[in-house]
Amino acid sequence: MAEEVVLLDFRPSPFGMRSRIALAEKGIKYEYKEEDLRNKSALLLQMNPVHKKIPVLIHNGKPVCESLIQVQYIDEVWHDKAPLLPSDPYQKATARFWADYVDKKIYDLGSRVWKTKGEEQATAKKEFIETLKLMEKELGDKPYFGGESLGYVDVAFIPFYSWFYAYEKCGNFSIEAECPKLIAWAKRCMQKESVAKSLPDQQKVYDFILEMKKRFGIE
Amino acid sequence: MAVVKLFGAWLSPYCYRVIWALKLKGIAYEYIEEDLSNKSPLLLQYNPIHKKIPVLLHDDKPICESTVILRYIDEIWPQNPLLPADPHERAVALFWIKFADDKSPLISKLFRTDGEEQQAVAKECFEMLEVLEEHALIGGKKFFGGDEINMVDIAFCSVAHWLGVIEDFAGLKIFEPHKFPRLNSWIQNFKSVPVIKDNLPDTDKMLALLKRRREMLLASKSS
């Protein structure tokens, strides 16, 4: 049976990027559908009735929601190429722990950096950098979080690199100055076609953020 | 033989998730109760990032975050599987486990807030229950896992037991059986499963501790 894979997505979404990367790593052909988040398609509402959010992966008509669950699903179903999760259960648990950490911290703290100002922003910046430094420590001397090749944590985390320029401009700070090893890791990931094709240009993300700020009346 | 240790706290639903998984798989373990107001150096060493329980120690290797622990247990000890084998069914199960993980903190937030803030949290709790009633329990299944409980049932334990206790304590009425018939059946079924029934924190003990904690919270807020 021919495999039918559809991804309902939104280009600037770091969560959507995770699934794009996973699909590209596995060489899976799929149909990409860009959603207008202010006018969500009937298909999106049908496939993700609980959250009504992107990304949604639709495989042979069946939806998978939540980006990390999609990455795990893609890794399981197309297991013969480019494994993303380690096979050792303890290493797998470690990878899941760090992907969960990225989920708990990076998006929210980053959002606070671009959405707030003054004291609130200063606090958010401080916590954000602390979080990045912790990730840097976990990376250590490895080329990737996954070791010698791109793994689950890399896929979970690298999308946020496309938002770094926006965070830096809004927060008036330099991430590279604070976390040079992390930026080196990010650039290493960007050399991979699967990543480079899946991430939008940083300037475009910044333009999107500026539009969001205008729309929501944030200075 | 590998040694399994569990660092937990008797009041925590996240701790019970791990206890039930270990018991369902028939795994012997040593339980270490942590005083959360005075965390042990060992706990801080094993979970330096979050400094929380539960922490599972297997062969001296720590695993943190209850859902990560549950998946680890399910992989190391495959008997009595806690997740479906089919990848899509598993993805659906993981979706609901994430939903439980994201929403369960609301239940303890009910206890830590009052007035308008508590009303807002209560409304969010109600909406969570509505989602479960409408989307998660369709098909007339006895459990989320079908005929037997699985990781999804375990993940929603806060709804099954902790919510009722906190409601009683705070004088709230969010869950009502006639409003949530499917959820009500599930709660009754879940709490009848022997491994769950025999391993739940005592309600009176919980109420007494909640009362003490609430007094401490209010005292620190006004000081």
Side-chain angles (χ1 to χ4, degrees):
Chain A
M1 182 174 87
E3 299 274 27
E4 199 200 65
V5 182
V6 178
L7 185 68
L8 306 182
D9 200 349
F10 179 64
R11 191 83 187 140
S13 161
F15 306 103
M17 289 174 219
R18 290 167 166 177
S19 302
R20 283 174 235 163
I21 296 169
L23 289 165
E25 278 287 297
K26 305 279 184 176
I28 298 159
K29 285 195 165 59
Y30 66 99
E31 186 189 348
Y32 178 92
K33 284 191 169 166
E34 181 81 356
E35 284 283 331
D36 174 358
L37 297 184
R38 284 185 293 176
N39 186 20
K40 291 173 180 176
S41 72
L43 182 63
L44 173 58
L45 301 179
Q46 179 200 339
M47 291 286 150
N48 191 356
V50 172
H51 300 303
K52 307 174 175 57
K53 286 181 171 180
I54 57 89
V56 179
L57 182 77
I58 311 172
H59 182 208
N60 294 332
K62 292 194 284 196
V64 178
C65 304
E66 298 295 332
S67 61
L68 288 181
I69 296 174
Q70 289 162 11
V71 174
Q72 288 180 73
Y73 176 84
I74 290 164
D75 203 35
E76 274 170 34
V77 172
W78 291 278
H79 51 80
D80 44 0
K81 189 179 173 192
L84 294 169
L85 273 163
S87 46
D88 172 71
Y90 189 73
Q91 286 177 27
K92 219 187 272 196
T94 305
R96 287 193 181 123
F97 174 87
W98 284 104
D100 174 69
Y101 183 78
V102 170
D103 255 9
K104 279 183 161 84
K105 297 282 194 178
I106 305 290
Y107 184 72
D108 281 344
L109 287 172
S111 292
R112 277 176 23 211
V113 168
W114 71 262
K115 280 182 181 170
T116 64
K117 46 191 170 133
E119 272 243 30
E120 215 186 328
Q121 190 188 53
T123 308
K125 269 162 60 180
K126 183 169 172 282
E127 282 182 48
F128 184 66
I129 290 291
E130 276 165 15
T131 303
L132 294 183
K133 287 194 163 156
L134 205 59
M135 295 300 296
E136 210 178 37
K137 193 171 160 212
E138 172 58 21
L139 178 69
D141 292 319
K142 305 194 294 287
Y144 303 99
F145 287 93
E148 293 304 311
S149 57
L150 203 76
Y152 185 63
V153 180
D154 302 278
V155 175
F157 190 24
I158 190 61
F160 294 97
Y161 176 64
S162 67
W163 284 55
F164 276 11
Y165 178 68
Y167 295 146
E168 286 173 324
K169 290 284 283 188
C170 294
N172 193 27
F173 67 122
S174 160
I175 295 173
E176 184 154 20
E178 303 275 358
C179 306
K181 276 183 147 180
L182 202 63
I183 298 299
W185 159 80
K187 290 182 174 166
R188 193 176 301 126
C189 289
M190 288 297 286
Q191 301 208 324
K192 301 199 63 116
E193 199 185 341
S194 59
V195 177
K197 278 187 158 174
S198 303
L199 266 56
D201 176 73
Q202 294 205 30
Q203 180 65 48
K204 287 214 165 83
V205 173
Y206 180 51
D207 292 340
F208 167 71
I209 292 297
L210 289 178
E211 213 205 294
M212 286 294 110
K213 283 171 81 128
K214 230 191 299 175
R215 204 186 289 171
F216 293 109
I218 304 165
E219 184 279 297
Chain B
M1 197 184 82
V3 172
V4 181
K5 293 188 186 180
L6 174 63
F7 291 81
W10 73 270
L11 194 60
S12 162
Y14 304 101
C15 169
Y16 281 87
R17 289 173 166 194
V18 180
I19 289 173
W20 295 324
L22 290 168
K23 286 192 187 284
L24 283 167
K25 306 250 182 192
I27 307 301
Y29 65 97
E30 182 193 336
Y31 177 78
I32 298 135
E33 175 75 15
E34 279 285 329
D35 174 359
L36 298 182
S37 60
N38 186 19
K39 292 171 180 175
S40 73
L42 261 182
L43 175 64
L44 300 177
Q45 177 198 327
Y46 290 134
N47 192 357
I49 310 284
H50 300 301
K51 305 174 175 46
K52 286 181 171 180
I53 55 90
V55 175
L56 187 80
L57 212 61
H58 184 218
D59 270 350
D60 290 324
K61 292 180 293 197
I63 301 119
C64 308
E65 294 299 301
S66 63
T67 300
V68 177
I69 296 171
L70 290 176
R71 297 207 63 188
Y72 177 81
I73 289 172
D74 204 36
E75 276 154 21
I76 292 277
W77 296 289
Q79 67 272 26
N80 221 350
L82 296 175
L83 282 174
D86 172 73
H88 188 261
E89 281 176 35
R90 181 153 56 229
V92 174
L94 291 174
F95 173 89
W96 287 112
I97 292 165
K98 182 172 199 296
F99 185 83
D101 282 351
D102 289 344
K103 301 291 182 183
S104 293
L106 285 172
I107 294 172
S108 60
K109 212 174 166 188
L110 270 178
F111 155 76
R112 290 197 316 271
T113 53
D114 48 20
E116 257 188 54
E117 208 190 340
Q118 193 187 59
Q119 289 300 318
V121 177
K123 183 165 178 281
E124 276 191 80
C125 278
F126 186 83
E127 285 163 1
M128 166 193 47
L129 298 179
E130 280 185 317
V131 170
L132 289 180
E133 182 74 19
E134 206 180 319
H135 294 281
L137 283 161
I138 41 179
K141 292 184 300 194
K142 192 174 177 198
F143 300 111
F144 290 100
D147 293 326
E148 308 272 343
I149 59 167
N150 75 357
M151 213 184 279
V152 183
D153 300 273
I154 289 172
F156 280 111
C157 63
S158 298
V159 171
H161 186 65
W162 278 259
L163 177 61
V165 176
I166 291 177
E167 279 178 304
D168 281 348
F169 173 77
L172 296 165
K173 206 87 197 87
I174 303 166
F175 172 80
E176 286 171 282
H178 70 274
K179 285 189 178 165
F180 301 99
R182 288 188 196 122
L183 202 51
N184 189 44
S185 294
W186 171 75
I187 292 171
Q188 304 309 316
N189 292 334
F190 180 71
K191 289 173 87 160
S192 307
V193 173
V195 90
I196 306 295
K197 196 166 84 169
D198 297 340
N199 297 284
L200 271 175
D202 175 73
T203 306
D204 290 333
K205 242 180 122 185
M206 282 172 77
L207 282 168
L209 181 64
L210 288 178
K211 188 161 180 277
R212 281 205 306 280
R213 280 214 191 145
R214 177 91 182 163
E215 279 160 15
M216 278 165 54
L217 239 171
L218 291 175
S220 68
K221 265 186 186 174
S222 60
S223 64

